[in-house]
């Protein structure tokens, strides 16, 4: 069973005066039901005009600290769901 925990939320004012909310989640799951070590991932949810859009990358790392660091960077840089997969791929490839 996967668990979600909201860590950060940003409200962004758009050029047309609408407000967009971005929520950054830590996900926790298990690859197999008989394995006790969790793996961590990220979900970003965008709420705009009563519509919700999200993207998720599961199984980034078994290190909670690495994934928490990524989520903090994403929140500080206002990363949206559409860019999540590409940026995670870049960070994992670079070893950050």
């Amino acid at each position: 069973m996967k668990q979600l925990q909201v860590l950060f939320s940003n409200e962004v004012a758009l050029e047309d005066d609408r407000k967009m909310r971005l929520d950054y989640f830590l996900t926790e799951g298990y690859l197999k039901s008989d394995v006790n070590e969790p793996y961590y991932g990220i979900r970003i949810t965008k709420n705009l005009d009563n519509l919700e859009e999200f993207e998720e990358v599961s199984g980034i790392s078994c290190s909670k600290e690495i994934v928490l660091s990524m989520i903090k960077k994403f929140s500080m840089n206002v990363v949206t769901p559409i860019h999540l997969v590409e940026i995670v791929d870049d960070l994992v490839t670079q070893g950050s």
Side-chain angles (χ1 to χ4, degrees), residues 32-50:
K32 298 179 184 174
S33 60
D34 60 340
V35 176
N36 290 331
E37 185 176 22
Y39 64 88
Y40 299 95
I42 299 170
R43 174 185 283 197
I44 300 176
T45 302
K46 177 177 104 176
N47 293 285
L48 178 64
D49 297 334
N50 296 322

Side-chain angles (χ1 to χ4, degrees), residues 11-12 23 27 31 34 65 71 76 93:
E11 189 168 289
V12 179
D23 296 318
T27 67
L31 292 173
D34 60 340
E65 291 75 26
I71 295 171
M76 289 172 38
T93 301

Side-chain angles (χ1 to χ4, degrees), residues 7 22 28 71 79 86 93:
L7 297 180
L22 296 166
E28 180 179 341
I71 295 171
V79 173
E86 181 181 356
T93 301

